[in-house]
Structures are given as C-alpha cells and as structure tokens.
Amino acid sequence: TPLTLLQQTGSVYPEKTALIYGDLRRDWGTTYRRCRQLASALVRAGVRRGDTVSVVAPNVPEMFEAHFGVPLSGAVLNTINYRLDADSIGFILGHAESRVVLVDREYGPVVKKALAAMTTRPLLITIDDPAFDGGEAIGEINYDQFLDSGDPDYDWQPPPDEWDAISLNYTSGTTGNPKGVVYHHRGALLNAVNNVLAWDMPRYPVYLWTLPMFHCNGWCFPWTLAAQAGTSVCLRYVRAETIFRLIEAETVSHLCAAPTVLNMLINAPETVRKRFGHPLRVMTAGAAPPAAIIQGMEHLGAEILHAYGLTETYGPAASCAWHEGWDSLPLDQRVTKKARPGVRYPILEGLMVADPATLQEVPHDGESMGEVMFRGNVVMKGYLKNPTATAEAFAGGWFRTGDLGVCHPDGYIQICDRAKDIIISGGENISSIELESVLYRHPAILEAAVVAKPDDNWGEVPCAFVALKPGMSLTETELIDWCRPRMAAFKLPKQVVFGDLPKTSTGKIQKFLLRQAM
C-alpha cells in the first residue's frame, strides 16, 4: 500500500516541506499527523472499511490529504471531476454509494443540485479555502472542525489484502453513464514507484499541481511525492501568470500537464512568459502533443517526457524512454521521437500492439496497426458493479485500451487512432455517445453524430454532424446555446455541420467519412 510511503517519510523526514499553498507551509511530520487525524475523524463519523468517501475540490491541501486520510481509515477515495454537471455528479455519488462528501465551497451549488435526487444523503463536509470567496458552504461541518474531531495519533492498520480497493475513478468511456474504475492498494503503490523510475525523479522534488488530482488520483503523484519526500505546490486555478510565478518563486522541478496547458504557457503574453531559470521537467499525456508544443516548451527551457495511459491503468503506464544518442538529432527528428508514447513503465508486465481478434502481436514495422493492450499490476481491478464491461475489457487476459497504434522497429509504440469514439479534449475524456444522446433530444434534430476534430489548443474538440427534420431550421449558435445547460462546458460541440449523414447499407452512420470531411 502507498500508505506506508507516508508513514516512512513522515517518520524519517518529518521536517521536509510537504505542502505549499500561498503563505501555507506544512512539513511531512505535520501532514502525516493530519492524515491520521482525518482517518480517525471518518471512523468516528461511522465510516467503515470499504465505504466510499468522495471529494469535489480543486488542487488544494485538503485534496492532497484526502489521498492518504481516506484510505488510512479503510475507506475508498472517490475524487470527482468538478467540471461535470449536476446530473453526472449525482450519478457518480449514487453509483459509488458515497457515505461522505468533501465539497469545496466553489462547487457547493452544483453538488447541492446533484444531491437533490438522492434518497440517502451523505455526510457533507465543506472545504473552506480562504483563497476563494463565493460559492456555497453546503456541509454540516467544515473540514478543519471535522479534523478536530479526530486523533492525530490514530493507530491505522494496512488493508487486510493488498488487492483491496484504495480509490474509485470514473471515466465516461463510450457510454453515456460513467464507469467506475477500481484501483487497488498494490497497483497504487507500484505506479507511484513507476513514476519515480520512468521519470528518474530524485529525492525532494518540488512538484507543481497543474494536473487535476481528480484525474486518476493525479496520475498517482500524491503517493509518488510521499515516496520521494517531495513538496506539493498546490494550485487552485491553472493560469499562465500564476504558473510562471510559482515555477520561479518555489524553484519547481517537476509538473504534469495536458498538452493544452503547455500550449497556454507557450502562447502566454510576453509580459508573463519567460524562459525557465532552472531545470524543469514536464510530463505530458492525454491527446498526443503536437510537435509545435514539444518544441515550444523546449524553447522555454523545459525537458518534456511524453507518456501514455488511461484511467484504467492508474494514469500513464508507458512513456517515451529517452536515449542519450537522440540528443544530437536535428530538432524535427527529436520531436518525432518524443511524439511516440514509447515503451512500458518499468513495473508493468506487458504492453503490446496486437490483433484484437487473435491477440497476435503486430509486426514491429511502424505501419501494421493493431489495438494497444496492457497487462500487469498497474491495471485496474475492474469496473464497479459492471462485470460485463470488466470481462470485455480483459478478454484474452489483456486489458484492451480501444486505442489503435503501431509498433516501430525499436519496440516503441505510437498511437494512431481510437477504435472507440472517445474525444480527448485538453486531457478530458468526452463520450461521443453521451453528446449524441443530448443532441437527439432537440426537437429539430433527426440524426446526429459526434467525432473528434483536431484542434491546435485542445488537441481535439467535439464536432457535431447534424441532419434536421424536414421543415425545421437551426443554426450552429442556437444549437450550442441549447446544449449549454445540458452538459459540462468542456463537452460542448465546438463546431456544428448540417447535412445528410453517410450510412452503411444497414443504416449505421459512417463516422470515418465524417472525420475525412473535416
């Protein structure tokens, strides 16, 4: 369990800085006590082993502490994307059977709406961040008061089985309702260590939280930082000016971000943008970063590591392991190398591109396409309450990603397309089926299909192809405005194309032709 990493660092390096947030400085000894205090408070509030504790919050210290305090109590941590709409959050809270919900006051209104349809009301705890003024405190008690009810010397016990669940992360997949991806203690520990090995991360790193902790538990980096006695520089809002300021002020050594965040830094105003004055290592994953983004970050002085993974693999579980000999290559060739997500993480048993029907690995020729598959301890336990989807995902003994790729002669894989119609926009997964189901509710729409459209800023954005009912009229602006209250803002179609949709002889819409039309 990664909880032993907190125990080790809290005992051996208690004076090392664990958290920075504005004027707040908190060491690892204090952090260990506070996490035990949170665990104790949860147990005293009636939380039992295996119960779910949800968190809706940005990258504030309370979110970091929950990654340890919740599992220290024996409960399962469920971090929820705060960008989701009330219906999606309500589904997750109900499906997860959340007993306790920690809610940052900024997201109080949307969570309050999400809870309206629930018959069993969880215990609500307000995270009251002094850096934010507004929202609504919907909790029965605030976080600090709740913490006071716990014992900082709480005698926690490791899970009875390392296969026990440590966290629950929801991914939209290709269905309308999200699927609950269950992580176990063993996998969380191993991928936390994987991050150290794959990134060659030294002890005492200073890590800036530009990656949401709600996403795959921050790619397991809360636990990685405990392993290396690192410092978390918390960040409520991802803004270029703040990022550049904190990198310089706190001598940040590492950060993770989707390509869209890197693009924001590259294109920041000249009054804000500055070359980094010390070594900065950046891991990026999600949609493959365009060459211009890799090049732009290198011009700013950052060293880029391109990684690949899914929610089901605890975040990145493959990366472009670099060779010193590649440093002397021309820039365009270096960027081409870095654009490949590469090879398996050190503690991953298997990564291959194979024929999905036969499970035969494709030739390593950089041209033969197959499905990317993972196998090992850093693959999810399964989907919560969904044995059918779990069996399909693991058919043949490998986790099937649904992503299509090729393998180059040197063994490095490259992602080419997605067999499933997931759109990855700014690092966020968007289900095309979910968007289509909303579009079909419009009274003027006869048929609809959503596909990914390449975008320089977001990597991909949703593009909707729509056929109208006879005699009906609709504009792009009218349709997008109609969608706005019905889905999260990041899921909104960025373009709408009107016209007949191409179909097969059986009536199935041919999405590949729609992609070619863009």
Side-chain angles (χ1 to χ4, degrees), residues 13 24 29 49 90 123 137-138 146 171 173 204 212 257 281 326 393 398 446 470 482 491 514:
Y13 303 105
L24 174 69
R49 183 170 296 279
L123 170 65
I138 65 172
F146 184 71
T171 176
Y204 316 131
R281 307 182 74 178
W326 295 347
W398 287 78
L446 176 65
W482 181 86
K491 296 181 179 181
L514 298 180

Side-chain angles (χ1 to χ4, degrees), residues 10-89:
S11 302
V12 178
Y13 303 105
E15 78 290 347
K16 287 292 182 182
T17 302
L19 283 165
I20 294 175
Y21 185 52
D23 295 332
L24 174 69
R25 298 289 191 275
R26 191 172 287 152
D27 61 37
W28 275 105
T30 303
T31 297
Y32 183 33
R33 290 193 296 273
R34 285 176 61 89
C35 291
R36 281 182 289 171
Q37 198 169 5
L38 174 58
S40 173
L42 289 169
V43 171
R44 290 177 177 178
V47 171
R48 300 183 301 273
R49 183 170 296 279
D51 284 347
T52 301
V53 175
S54 299
V55 187
V56 185
N59 290 347
V60 291
E62 292 86 350
M63 177 66 120
F64 183 82
E65 290 175 350
H67 276 79
F68 299 94
V70 172
L72 281 170
S73 74
V76 179
L77 175 65
N78 167 227
T79 55
I80 298 177
N81 183 345
Y82 52 75
R83 299 168 184 157
L84 293 175
D85 54 57
D87 287 344
S88 297
I89 292 175

Side-chain angles (χ1 to χ4, degrees), residues 302-324:
E303 179 185 330
I304 299 291
L305 176 65
H306 181 200
Y308 165 71
L310 303 91
T311 302
E312 291 88 343
T313 62
Y314 295 70
S319 65
C320 185
W322 197 248
H323 293 255
E324 292 180 353

Side-chain angles (χ1 to χ4, degrees), residues 93-151:
L93 293 175
H95 188 262
E97 300 178 37
S98 298
R99 290 287 306 277
V100 178
V101 185
L102 279 60
V103 187
D104 185 276
R105 65 179 299 132
E106 181 172 359
Y107 308 105
V110 69
V111 174
K112 183 178 181 179
K113 186 177 179 182
L115 291 168
M118 294 184 67
T119 55
T120 303
R121 185 179 176 87
L123 170 65
L124 299 177
I125 300 170
T126 294
I127 297 173
D128 200 355
D129 179 7
F132 178 79
D133 183 19
E136 183 179 358
I138 65 172
E140 288 90 352
I141 188 173
N142 71 40
Y143 183 86
D144 290 332
Q145 292 171 336
F146 184 71
L147 210 64
D148 288 341
S149 69
D151 178 5

